[in-house]
């Protein structure tokens, strides 16, 4: 995975560092539940809490993490977040070998791991502009997204093989090593980021500064509202999609697995081609078109009516197109946000965007389930698709539509 011409050589360290942690995170998503279910004999309720604790930090700490990142060094935060995650994961096999590992300790590790993941992910976005020029942002973010998708496609299969071959505890130990490798690589990156020195403020004032910037600027406001609306649609589908495929379309479980494999392939292709699409159609043109395509596929998905074989083929095609368009859209959205945001506010603006988007997405599962109980699975899935269409309107009626390149940065 080589760096695209024009992007600084040190960017490769960030690329490989992120690939390591993404691969580790995907492996952990398989290994940790297997460890809880098989080794610790966890109940369904305990398993559900374990899953919740891994994502809860995005709602608890994201806005505060943005302030911390803006007042510190994103590179240093990424480095220590990965050293910390490695130590947390090391405690799991040690606990197993020493006989004190419990589901309660897995809950602690899952939540603490999630906290450190928030800091790492937000720091990546805040750090990229310090090692890539404005005109390199789309290409840089495209490569980062490609590395995520490669790890996402390969990780689950490797995780299953490792758990079967060496057991879940040793798989987690090997996983810890990936985080330390990433920390080492990222720490070696030379960058021109500087420690921010400003007069002390109350943390809620700092958070408010990020919120005000996002919702007062037409570009940033359109991006965050579009993302939040689309994530509400995604959150609804998280609980509805399997039910729709299996109960409404009667697609066999094995075929459903293949369909999700096609989705992963589409996301990878989207990441690899995002920069080329942008060069062709311009930043505004591509993000508008990709958001429209993603939204239309959400509606079309709910309208599929066919025998299982045909339905599986149609759904695979729709979700493939949706994955490609969504990733291309996301690469450009991140690039616009980075280009528009003053460097000292990158952490807070990223935190606000994630907080609003993930907050609405978390409500989507509850909303989707309630609508399915009231109206039916297909009807609820169609409503999710119509909600996705709203995400397109936020962008269409904004200055983003006329962008040829990246917007000028705000002063502040």
């Amino acid at each position: 995975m080589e760096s695209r011409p024009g992007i600084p050589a040190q960017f490769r360290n960030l690329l490989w560092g992120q690939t390591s942690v993404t691969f580790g995170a995907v492996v952990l998503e398989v290994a940790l539940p297997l460890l809880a279910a098989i080794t610790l004999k966890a109940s369904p309720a305990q398993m559900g809490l374990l899953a919740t604790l891994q994502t809860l930090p995005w709602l608890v700490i994201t806005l505060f993490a943005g302030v911390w990142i803006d007042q510190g060094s994103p590179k240093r935060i990424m480095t220590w977040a990965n050293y910390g995650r490695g130590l947390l994961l090391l405690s799991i096999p040690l606990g197993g070998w020493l006989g004190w590992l419990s589901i309660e300790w897995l809950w602690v590790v899952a939540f603490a791991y999630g906290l450190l993941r928030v800091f790492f992910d937000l720091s990546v976005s805040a750090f990229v502009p310090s090692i890539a020029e404005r005109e390199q942002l789309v290409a840089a973010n495209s490569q980062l997204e490609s590395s995520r998708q490669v790890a996402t496609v390969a990780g689950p299969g490797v995780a299953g093989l490792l758990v079967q071959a060496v057991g879940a505890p040793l798989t987690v130990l090997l996983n810890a090593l990936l985080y330390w490798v990433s920390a080492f690589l990222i720490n070696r990156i030379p960058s021109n980021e500087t420690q921010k020195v400003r007069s002390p403020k109350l943390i809620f004032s700092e958070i408010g500064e990020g919120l005000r910037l996002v919702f007062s600027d037409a570009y940033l406001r359109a991006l965050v509202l579009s993302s939040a609306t689309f994530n509400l649609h995604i959150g609804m589908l998280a609980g509805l999609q399997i039910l729709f495929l299996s109960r409404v379309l009667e697609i066999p479980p094995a075929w459903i697995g293949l369909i999700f494999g096609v989705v992963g392939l589409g996301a990878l292709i989207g990441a690899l081609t995002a920069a080329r699409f942008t060069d062709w159609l311009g930043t505004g043109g591509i993000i508008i078109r990709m958001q429209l395509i993603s939204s239309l596929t959400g509606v079309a998905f709910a309208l599929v009516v066919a025998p299982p074989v045909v339905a599986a083929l149609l759904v695979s095609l729709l979700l493939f197109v949706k994955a490609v368009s969504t990733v291309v859209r996301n690469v450009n959205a991140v690039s616009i946000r980075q280009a528009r945001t003053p460097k000292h506010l990158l952490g807070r603006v990223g935190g606000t965007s994630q907080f609003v988007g993930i907050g609405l997405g978390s409500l989507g599962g509850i909303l989707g389930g309630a609508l399915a109980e009231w109206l039916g699975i297909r009807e609820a899935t169609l409503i999710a698709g119509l909600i996705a269409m709203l995400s397109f309107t936020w962008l269409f009626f904004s200055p983003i539509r006329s962008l040829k390149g990246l917007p000028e940065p705000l002063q502040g």
Side-chain angles (χ1 to χ4, degrees):
M1 199 181 307
E2 295 187 0
S3 218
R4 179 175 170 151
I7 294 178
Q10 64 263 28
F11 182 76
R12 283 197 294 268
N13 277 23
L14 179 62
L15 189 64
W16 283 110
Q18 184 192 253
T19 301
S20 296
V21 298
T22 305
F23 189 82
V26 173
V27 170
L28 194 65
E29 287 174 3
V30 176
L32 204 61
L34 286 175
L35 177 65
I38 296 173
T39 304
L40 301 178
K41 311 298 183 186
S43 69
Q46 291 173 327
M47 294 290 289
L49 182 56
L50 180 65
T52 299
L53 287 170
Q54 292 181 71
T55 57
L56 185 61
W58 286 99
L59 294 175
V60 173
I61 200 68
T62 304
L63 293 176
F64 299 94
V67 174
W68 196 342
I69 291 165
D70 281 339
Q71 292 185 337
S73 161
K75 187 180 85 169
R76 188 178 298 113
I77 290 171
M78 285 189 290
T79 301
W80 287 106
N82 283 342
Y83 280 133
R85 285 194 282 184
L87 285 172
L88 280 170
L89 296 182
L90 179 62
S91 73
I92 292 176
L94 283 177
W97 294 329
L98 295 175
W100 52 261
L101 185 63
S102 65
I103 188 63
E104 290 80 11
W105 181 247
L106 284 194
W107 290 341
V108 172
V109 170
F111 185 73
Y113 173 94
L115 291 174
L116 293 175
R117 181 175 182 175
V118 168
F119 279 98
F120 179 85
D121 288 356
L122 292 180
S123 294
V124 170
S125 183
F127 182 64
V128 169
S130 69
I131 57 171
E133 300 297 330
R134 276 174 51 83
E135 61 272 13
Q136 300 167 338
L137 286 177
V138 172
N141 287 313
S142 180
Q143 289 195 40
L144 286 171
E145 189 62 32
S146 298
S147 78
R148 291 188 190 102
Q149 298 305 330
V150 168
T152 300
V153 170
V158 174
L161 290 174
L162 282 173
V163 171
Q164 185 169 344
V166 302
L170 191 53
T171 299
V172 173
L173 173 60
L174 295 174
N175 204 8
L177 299 178
L178 289 175
Y179 289 94
W180 292 332
V181 168
S182 175
F184 173 77
L185 289 172
I186 290 171
N187 194 47
R188 289 174 57 86
I189 301 173
S191 71
N192 60 5
E193 66 169 1
T194 57
Q195 187 77 20
K196 291 78 174 176
V197 180
R198 299 196 303 279
S199 59
K201 299 179 182 178
L202 293 173
I203 191 167
F204 289 104
S205 175
E206 295 277 337
I207 290 171
E209 191 175 357
L211 287 167
R212 283 192 299 274
L213 182 67
V214 167
F215 287 102
S216 65
D217 180 68
Y219 293 96
L220 298 176
R221 183 173 62 247
L223 286 177
V224 75
L225 292 176
S226 175
S227 295
T229 309
F230 195 73
N231 283 340
L232 178 61
H233 151 79
I234 295 295
M236 292 175 68
L237 287 184
L240 294 172
Q241 196 163 245
I242 293 294
L243 295 176
F244 182 74
L245 294 174
S246 61
R247 297 184 185 178
V248 177
L249 300 182
E250 299 180 346
I251 297 175
W255 296 2
I256 292 175
L258 292 175
I259 288 170
F260 287 127
V262 171
V263 172
L265 178 61
L268 176 58
I269 290 174
L272 293 172
T273 58
R276 291 182 177 86
F277 273 121
T278 305
D279 291 341
W280 178 33
L281 293 172
T283 306
I286 195 62
I287 197 171
I288 290 287
R289 288 171 172 83
M290 293 299 104
Q291 189 69 66
L292 178 60
I293 291 170
S294 295
S295 302
L296 287 173
T297 56
V299 175
F301 173 75
L303 297 177
V304 171
V305 179
V309 175
V310 178
L313 291 173
L314 289 173
V315 166
S316 296
L317 177 61
L318 287 170
L319 294 184
F320 175 84
V321 172
K322 182 179 182 180
V324 173
S325 56
T326 299
V327 170
V328 173
R329 181 264 183 212
N330 288 345
V331 166
N332 281 276
V334 171
S335 300
I336 292 172
R337 190 179 75 215
Q338 290 170 337
R340 187 66 173 164
T341 305
K343 287 191 175 181
H344 70 279
L345 287 168
L346 280 166
R348 273 165 286 177
V349 169
T352 298
S353 301
Q354 296 287 357
F355 177 78
V356 175
I358 292 178
L360 268 183
S362 65
L363 297 176
I366 299 171
L367 177 60
L371 287 173
E373 290 282 348
W374 179 34
L375 300 173
I377 296 171
R378 182 184 293 276
E379 291 77 7
T381 304
L382 178 58
I383 291 173
L386 295 173
I387 288 174
M389 291 300 300
L390 294 175
S391 65
F392 164 74
T393 62
W394 292 117
L395 296 178
F396 186 78
F397 295 106
S398 79
I400 290 174
R401 185 176 61 172
S402 59
L403 278 178
K404 299 300 181 185
L406 293 172
E408 290 300 313
L410 288 166
Q411 300 302 313

